[in-house]
Structures are given as C-alpha cells and as structure tokens.
Amino acid sequence: MSEVNTGDGEGKKGKPKKLQTRVDFTPMVDMNMLLITFFMFCTTLSKPQMMDLVMPTKDKDITVEQQTKVDEAKTITLLLAENDIIYYYFGKPNYEDYTSLIKTDYTPNGLRAMLVGKNGKAIAKMAELRDLKQQNKIPEEQYKEQAKEIRGAKDGIVVIIKPTNASTYKNLVDVLDEMQICSIGQYAIVDLTDGDTFLIENLMKKGALTQQAAKFKQS
C-alpha cells in the first residue's frame, strides 16, 4: 500500500505544495513468504522417479559348462536397427539359417509380447509382490529385496542388447524400459559384431548370403 503526505503547513504562496510518497512493502513480504512456502511444499512432493537396475550376478560357484548351458537356453540377443526395428535371436546365432533372426518392433504386441512369453513366471511373481506392497503387507525394504531376488534369479532369462549405428538413443531407452516392465534383471549392453551385421543383411536378402556363413560360424 502507499500513501501521499502533503506535508505540514500551507507553504509559501505561489509555490506548489511538496508531496511526500511512502510505499508500504508489508503486503509484498507476505506474498513472498506465501510463494516460498508453496514452492517448498511442491518440491517436497515432487520426488525424482528412479529406475532400479539389477545387473547380472557374478556367482563364482557356477562352472563354465553350467554358464554356457544357461546362456544357450535363456539368452535373448536384441539388435536395435534403424526405423524403430528390432531383430532378435535365441541362444547362439545361427548364421546358416537366416530365419533364425526374427524382426519385430517396440509396440506392446512386438518386443514386449515376446519378453512376457519368455519371462512370464518372474512377471507373475512381481505382480504378486506389488499387490502385497500396495496393501501395506510388506515394508519398502522387504519389497526391494524380494524384487531384486526375482529379477536376478539364476533361472531367469538373460538379454543382450546390441545397438547398431542406425539406432537412436530413444530406442535404447525404450528397450531399457521394457526390461523393467517385463521384470528382467539380467541384461547387458554390448557392441555389435560383424556376425550380427551379417545376420541382418542376410535376413533382408532372404538368405542370399548364406554361403558366406562359414566365416562367422562358431565352433
């Protein structure tokens, strides 16, 4: 608020009266305090959303032979290509059969449907665990510990993610989101190999390059 003070006395004749202005900043201070309080309250409620990443466990008691068997049975390799296309294969790559590489996309009926079909057991356990948490039957720490065990189970699937130069950063983020949605805790991002490039090219050419598969065939 402000007020105008015309001063004491009438002043000299012929001269205008001197005006004195005083501004009251008390309402402004009150408003600033309300804004600061509102900002602090909203900041407290807006907690950052974090994504828990559970990396593959390193169990020294597992032999190389056992690890190889698990990898062949449970491993899924994803090749992130251009135009939001994903190629994938199970176990070891089969360079002599171009149909072993399967093409899909990022839609719920594409990549997610495949992962849900392969990891349905873990997804069901995570759904039950979330229900217990929502009903306040288990504390937060117990929920995190059990979720980590489910996602990192030794009999769970292992996903190897290989982005190509034509894929985008968004493609990688979308795939990592699918790992969380499908309760997959064992996955890794690795470099693309020449054999992976061959698989894509051979699939696009419908097996026309199969005669070159010998140099990529693993023993």
Side-chain angles (χ1 to χ4, degrees):
M1 301 294 291
S2 63
E3 63 181 26
V4 178
N5 188 359
T6 58
D8 299 332
E10 299 180 355
K12 295 182 178 180
K13 188 177 180 180
K15 290 186 178 181
K17 295 181 180 180
K18 186 177 181 181
L19 302 179
Q20 297 178 354
T21 304
R22 185 175 69 86
V23 179
D24 186 3
F25 286 97
T26 303
M28 184 67 69
V29 174
D30 293 339
M31 184 181 66
N32 289 336
M33 290 301 297
L34 289 174
L35 291 175
I36 293 173
T37 304
F38 177 77
F39 174 76
M40 294 175 61
F41 180 73
C42 292
T43 304
T44 303
L45 293 180
S46 301
K47 295 182 179 180
Q49 300 295 322
M50 296 181 294
M51 179 175 61
D52 295 329
L53 298 181
V54 184
M55 300 307 292
T57 57
K58 297 181 180 179
D59 194 336
K60 296 182 180 180
D61 297 332
I62 300 177
T63 63
V64 175
E65 182 179 357
Q66 291 173 331
Q67 185 67 39
T68 302
K69 290 181 180 179
V70 171
D71 288 347
E72 291 180 357
K74 298 293 184 179
T75 299
I76 303 174
T77 302
L78 305 179
L79 309 179
L80 313 186
E82 60 184 352
N83 298 326
D84 297 334
I85 296 174
I86 305 176
Y87 299 98
Y88 66 89
Y89 59 85
F90 304 107
K92 291 184 177 180
N94 187 347
Y95 299 107
E96 296 180 343
D97 181 11
Y98 75 94
T99 61
S100 63
L101 186 67
I102 305 172
K103 180 181 177 181
T104 187
D105 51 33
Y106 294 88
T107 62
N109 293 329
L111 176 62
R112 186 178 304 176
M114 182 271 292
L115 294 176
V116 169
K118 290 293 181 178
N119 204 40
K121 184 178 179 180
I123 293 174
K125 289 183 178 180
M126 282 299 302
E128 294 177 0
L129 187 62
R130 291 191 187 97
D131 289 340
L132 293 176
K133 179 186 175 184
Q134 292 176 356
Q135 297 172 11
N136 296 324
K137 293 184 178 180
I138 57 174
E140 180 70 20
E141 292 299 325
Q142 183 179 352
Y143 168 79
K144 290 182 178 180
E145 182 178 351
Q146 293 185 11
K148 184 177 180 180
E149 292 178 357
I150 294 173
R151 293 191 178 106
K154 294 179 181 179
D155 59 345
I157 65 174
V158 179
V159 178
I160 300 176
I161 305 170
K162 297 185 177 183
T164 67
N165 292 333
S167 63
T168 64
Y169 180 76
K170 181 180 181 299
N171 295 151
L172 182 58
V173 172
D174 289 343
V175 168
L176 293 179
D177 286 342
E178 293 299 331
M179 298 298 104
Q180 297 299 309
I181 294 172
C182 299
S183 302
I184 298 173
Q186 303 182 82
Y187 56 90
I189 303 173
V190 301
D191 295 332
L192 196 75
T193 65
D194 292 338
D196 297 324
T197 303
F198 168 79
L199 287 174
I200 296 175
E201 293 178 352
N202 197 29
L203 177 63
M204 294 176 64
K205 295 183 179 181
K206 297 183 178 180
L209 304 178
T210 302
Q211 64 274 13
Q212 304 176 20
K215 62 179 179 180
F216 298 105
K217 187 177 180 180
Q218 298 179 355
S219 58

